[in-house]
Amino acid sequence: PRSHHYFQHPPFQLEKCLNHNIPVALGTDSLASIRPDQHPQSLSMFHEMQSLLKSLPTLRPQMAIEMTTLTAAKVLGLDSTIGSLAPGKQADWISLPCKGTERDLHEAIIHTTTPPQKVVIGGKTVLEKQI
């Protein structure tokens, strides 16, 4: 969404794509096309999801997370190994502190300002902060 905005493209027709069962993944490509006034210069997927929800306020936060995980893996042809926590798939996940309730969990995840406390890739811990 931030690159889309940077290049001043017309609004993305997400609802039209979804209505036609076209999978849409959310990602980021380069710092070169992220305007400093949108978010700090980072390739943060949290910032991408925030921008998406700001540009499409009717989109459910759960859908933004799915576009970043499940759908992204699917469109890359990697959904048999990544994109969700399921038997036979790589165990890739992060641990975030959450003060939200189950009802607003997806919103709390997207708008977190705290870096992950734990990062696991392929079942191996690559970052763990002491609490």
Side-chain angles (χ1 to χ4, degrees), residues 45-57:
M45 288 308 301
F46 296 105
H47 292 156
E48 290 299 327
M49 290 186 285
Q50 291 166 17
S51 294
L52 177 66
L53 293 174
K54 185 177 179 182
S55 66
L56 298 168

Side-chain angles (χ1 to χ4, degrees), residues 10-75:
F12 184 71
Q13 301 295 312
L14 178 63
E15 288 184 18
K16 190 173 185 178
C17 289
L18 297 176
N19 288 339
H20 286 88
N21 295 318
I22 299 170
V24 179
L26 182 63
T28 186
D29 59 355
S30 167
L31 289 175
S33 60
I34 297 174
R35 293 170 46 172
D37 64 325
Q38 293 175 312
H39 275 293
Q41 291 285 318
S42 74
L43 295 177
S44 167
M45 288 308 301
F46 296 105
H47 292 156
E48 290 299 327
M49 290 186 285
Q50 291 166 17
S51 294
L52 177 66
L53 293 174
K54 185 177 179 182
S55 66
L56 298 168
T58 59
L59 186 70
R60 294 178 303 121
Q62 179 179 349
M63 180 62 110
I65 292 173
E66 287 176 11
M67 291 169 65
T68 306
T69 56
L70 299 168
T71 307
K74 181 178 180 179
V75 300

